Amino acid sequence: MYARKFTVTVVMLALIIIVAVGCSKKEEKKAEALKPPIKIGAIFSVTGSAAKLGGPEKNTALMIQEQINAAGGVNGRQIELIIEDDQGVEENTVNALQKLIHSDNVVAIIGPTRSGNGIAAATICEEARVPLVSCAAAWVQLFTEKDVTKPMYKYVFKTPQNDSDCAVRIFEDCKAKGFTKVAIITGTTGFGDAGRTELKKRAPEYGITIVADETYPPDASDLTPSLTKIKAKKPQALINWSIVPAQGLIAGQAKQLKMTMQIYQSHGFGNKGYITEAAEGILFPAGRLLVTKDVDPSNVQYNVLTKFKSDYETKYGEEVSTFAGHAYDALWMIVNAIKAKDDTRDGIRDGLEATTNFIGTAGVFNMSPTDHCGLNADAFTMVVVKGGEFRLADAVK
């Protein structure tokens, strides 16, 4: 009789505890649901001439937001992305920044897509003390008045590899192949201007002479006049540096002019949409995201690259691009900064600058007060267009 009463008592207590715990968890979930979301702004060139870059960036940001929120958010709060399309126009970037900073009160911003827009955004974010993680490449956007001799902005960061390292990789390859005379052709955008500056600066370090130096506007569709001038100079290699659609035309128009020299592109070529039959054999430095099937599984980036590629391509039914990776790196570094510090603008800035050994799609990031990119030349590998695909150049020699 006593044993039976004891057993009943124990069972009743257990039921009370289970109910109490269940209620507690429900209350916790209810409390979390009532917390306001963490607002993060994003500006991409979803439409316009840089849509092949900005479209994948937007897709990526939305996918990561969904994944993070499905896993419980950040520090118990959901994140809310507010995405603006600047159409690649600097004035639109400026207007979007004013809205995000002053009306939406976001804690940080990722983007923009293009370097010229990034340069315009940097000043505004620095003055407003809002962390900006740019998806544009130009190194100079990190400095006051684009002057690398001046102090680096405190609130401006970027995820793409440095254009200076891209120029170095191209000239290393030229030197290895015995090329001493090259021609350059660059777009008249912020990205193109920055690349042209680096190419002209670095060429002498490798014993290389630039025998022709041509430029073209963002809306160029016929490059044959410039290519004809270049052909007359008889370079051993041609280097194009831009992000606009014309970069996809160069190989075909050069072929029509029977130009047979080696063609190089910059890291702005990292979208499979630029591959044409005439592009076969083009070389360019890029991150390893484009060539995951050639990456050694022992590489420290391998798991990140293959998971992101699989997630993106499964969700969107299109091949992942370098530019999608830039948005992945930017958003995850902000989320990690919030986890490491807090969700205030200053806390995120401090967390970003303290980023160490973050394995991203572009490389392994190590930020510091004097380096708001955190990548070095090792983040690049040489990629070739082979059989209608991007392949690791060393893997298909």
Side-chain angles (χ1 to χ4, degrees):
M1 187 66 181
Y2 175 80
R4 184 178 176 187
K5 284 185 177 179
F6 179 75
T7 302
V8 170
T9 301
V10 169
V11 170
M12 291 296 291
L13 284 172
L15 288 172
I16 290 170
I17 291 171
I18 290 171
V19 171
V21 169
C23 289
S24 176
K25 288 185 176 178
K26 284 182 181 178
E27 289 301 317
E28 286 179 8
K29 287 184 179 179
K30 188 176 179 181
E32 288 179 0
L34 292 175
K35 291 179 181 177
I38 300 172
K39 293 183 180 180
I40 299 173
I43 303 174
F44 302 127
S45 300
V46 182
T47 60
S49 60
K52 285 185 177 178
L53 289 67
E57 289 170 349
K58 177 184 177 182
N59 287 344
T60 298
L62 289 172
M63 183 181 75
I64 295 173
Q65 172 189 237
E66 183 179 313
Q67 291 175 343
I68 290 172
N69 287 341
V74 183
N75 296 341
R77 294 173 63 187
Q78 300 281 286
I79 61 170
E80 177 186 347
L81 277 181
I82 302 174
I83 300 178
E84 303 289 334
D85 175 13
D86 67 9
Q87 301 175 306
V89 178
E90 290 181 22
E91 182 180 354
N92 293 344
T93 304
V94 172
N95 292 335
L97 284 169
Q98 299 299 344
K99 172 182 176 292
L100 292 171
I101 294 170
H102 301 294
S103 297
D104 297 321
N105 292 314
V106 299
V107 295
I109 297 170
I110 61 174
T113 302
R114 302 181 64 163
S115 291
N117 304 56
I119 290 166
T123 303
I124 295 170
C125 288
E126 184 72 6
E127 290 178 354
R129 299 169 66 90
V130 175
L132 174 75
V133 185
S134 174
C135 294
W139 173 246
V140 295
Q141 71 187 296
L142 301 178
F143 297 87
T144 305
E145 298 174 353
K146 301 185 293 182
D147 186 345
V148 298
T149 65
K150 293 185 176 180
M152 187 171 280
Y153 285 129
K154 289 185 64 177
Y155 288 82
V156 183
F157 302 78
K158 78 181 186 81
T159 55
Q161 301 92 342
N162 289 320
D163 33 22
S164 56
D165 290 331
C166 181
V168 166
R169 286 298 196 204
I170 290 174
F171 287 139
E172 285 177 345
D173 199 76
C174 286
K175 187 174 181 178
K177 290 180 168 58
F179 301 152
T180 57
K181 296 180 179 179
V182 306
I184 65 174
I185 182 166
T186 55
T188 53
T189 61
F191 180 73
D193 287 341
R196 180 169 175 262
T197 298
E198 289 297 332
L199 290 170
K200 294 174 71 175
K201 177 182 175 183
R202 304 283 176 178
E205 299 172 15
Y206 293 85
I208 290 172
T209 302
I210 294 176
V211 297
D213 177 8
E214 297 288 326
T215 61
Y216 57 88
D219 60 349
S221 59
D222 182 7
L223 300 174
T224 53
S226 295
L227 292 173
T228 300
K229 293 179 185 176
I230 289 172
K231 183 182 178 182
K233 299 292 184 179
K234 299 181 179 179
Q236 296 163 295
L238 169 62
I239 305 168
N240 174 68
W241 197 299
S242 74
I243 56 166
V244 295
Q247 69 174 331
L249 305 175
I250 284 189
Q253 294 182 2
K255 190 174 183 179
Q256 289 173 358
L257 293 172
K258 302 187 185 306
M259 298 169 71
T260 58
M261 73 283 288
Q262 174 65 56
I263 297 178
Y264 291 90
Q265 295 273 3
S266 74
H267 46 328
F269 195 68
N271 186 311
K272 198 173 180 181
Y274 291 122
I275 295 179
T276 62
E277 185 177 343
E280 192 77 4
I282 283 180
L283 290 165
F284 67 105
R288 294 168 178 79
L289 180 60
L290 296 180
V291 291
T292 52
K293 74 176 184 180
D294 292 328
V295 175
D296 191 317
S298 66
N299 186 290
V300 69
Q301 288 183 267
Y302 184 80
N303 289 339
V304 169
L305 296 175
T306 52
K307 184 179 186 310
F308 173 51
K309 177 179 171 65
S310 175
D311 288 351
Y312 184 94
E313 294 180 356
T314 299
K315 185 173 181 62
Y316 294 112
E318 64 181 29
E319 290 207 33
V320 74
S321 71
T322 291
F323 312 102
H326 296 333
Y328 173 99
D329 295 339
L331 185 50
W332 268 115
M333 276 199 279
I334 287 176
V335 168
N336 290 340
I338 293 172
K339 290 178 179 176
K341 299 290 181 179
D342 55 50
D343 56 25
T344 65
R345 291 171 173 177
D346 282 340
I348 293 170
R349 191 221 76 85
D350 292 346
L352 286 168
E353 193 170 83
T355 297
T356 303
N357 291 325
F358 168 67
I359 301 173
T361 68
V364 180
F365 290 84
N366 287 288
M367 300 283 188
S368 74
T370 57
D371 185 358
H372 280 192
C373 172
L375 296 173
N376 57 32
D378 291 338
F380 277 126
T381 190
M382 191 59 77
V383 173
V384 64
V385 178
K386 181 79 172 179
E389 293 184 279
F390 290 139
R391 299 294 304 274
L392 190 64
D394 286 342
V396 294
K397 280 182 178 177

